[in-house]
Amino acid sequence: MVDKYLETDRMSDLICDNYSLLQVMSRFGISLGFGDKSVKEVCLNNNVDCHTFLAVINFVVGGSSRFEYASDMISVASLMDYLKQSHIYFLEFNFPMIRRRLIEAIDCSANDVSYLILKFYDEYVSEVRKHMEFEERTVFKFVDSLLNGVVPENFEFTTFSKNHKPIDEKLNELKNIIIKYYPAEKNNNLLNNVLFDIFICEEGLNLHSNVEDYMFVPAVMNLERSLRNELE
Ligand SMILES: [Fe+2]
Ligand SMILES: [Fe+2]
């Protein structure tokens, strides 16, 4: 399959073509205001590994069928930074924002469904936090060590990759509770907006897991393999 986006494309065209790439861009630490510069120039100016950036955006638009990406071409350090920024985005920005909007949209004192929705949401967020903190504490630490030329023997990366679970499923349940059971009121604009945020968040989390499974895992395995060969 031919890549949709190339390093010679204008960064602004890419964003106008597919606005969900804005999020990928910001997680790579690229800010707006790049004029007519190409993807390659913008990456260079922002110290971003262009191949990894292109691999992620082409994965975003091509879906998980793109997992044949040459994992030895990806910069593991760059991809891990991207994943860390995504964790920060969800935990520190996206989840609190959805919570604030939920409280605004549902009357928590008026009915039990509102209370249940908020409780369900808080429990869900704390599960995702655990999942992400585990990755930070163990997986990313392991990869940091690999990047410093050491293979830690106290962590099995393959065990992690086999047990890595998607994190967006419960959000789908929450959506269904709101859609099916929240008592309707005359003006549902606020609630519709928060539902919209939840749909986008679910998509983002699904993409996050896919990038981990189909791009990060093979790239790390590759790195571990070549390091072991080198050290032998
Ligand atoms: Fe993650
Ligand atoms: Fe994960």
Side-chain angles (χ1 to χ4, degrees), residues 56-202:
V56 174
I57 58 163
N58 281 309
F59 181 83
V60 171
V61 295
S64 50
S65 60
R66 304 283 314 145
F67 72 89
E68 76 275 17
Y69 260 109
S71 51
D72 51 341
M73 301 275 283
I74 288 169
S75 151
V76 172
S78 237
L79 192 60
M80 187 164 70
D81 271 347
Y82 164 81
L83 293 172
K84 280 182 187 168
Q85 286 308 314
S86 307
H87 287 178
I88 293 174
Y89 169 79
F90 287 114
L91 296 177
E92 291 178 21
F93 176 76
N94 201 207
F95 290 145
M97 182 201 73
I98 291 178
R99 192 178 198 277
R100 278 196 307 275
R101 292 196 173 170
L102 259 179
I103 292 175
E104 218 184 319
I106 58 180
D107 184 355
C108 289
S109 60
N111 60 63
D112 288 349
V113 181
S114 310
Y115 172 75
L116 280 176
I117 288 172
L118 208 60
K119 189 167 172 273
F120 190 95
Y121 181 74
D122 286 345
E123 284 168 3
Y124 169 71
V125 170
S126 92
E127 265 176 43
V128 177
R129 186 178 294 280
K130 265 191 218 147
H131 176 112
M132 290 179 173
E133 283 174 355
F134 171 79
E135 288 173 348
E136 305 262 343
R137 257 194 346 265
T138 59
V139 185
F140 294 173
K141 222 175 131 203
F142 171 83
V143 176
D144 268 333
S145 201
L146 291 184
L147 291 169
N148 287 320
V150 181
V151 184
E153 297 301 339
N154 59 352
F155 182 77
E156 284 267 349
F157 188 74
T158 41
T159 310
F160 157 75
S161 62
K162 275 186 215 138
N163 295 326
H164 186 233
K165 299 243 169 10
I167 42 177
D168 57 300
E169 283 167 358
K170 256 192 149 179
L171 213 49
N172 189 35
E173 264 179 72
L174 176 71
K175 241 168 42 194
N176 279 323
I177 296 174
I178 298 177
I179 295 168
K180 292 180 187 166
Y181 304 111
Y182 189 75
E185 281 163 28
K186 269 188 213 130
N187 188 341
N188 273 332
N189 286 340
L190 284 173
L191 196 58
N192 288 345
N193 271 356
V194 77
L195 262 176
F196 196 75
D197 292 333
I198 295 173
F199 272 103
I200 305 248
C201 177
E202 193 187 0

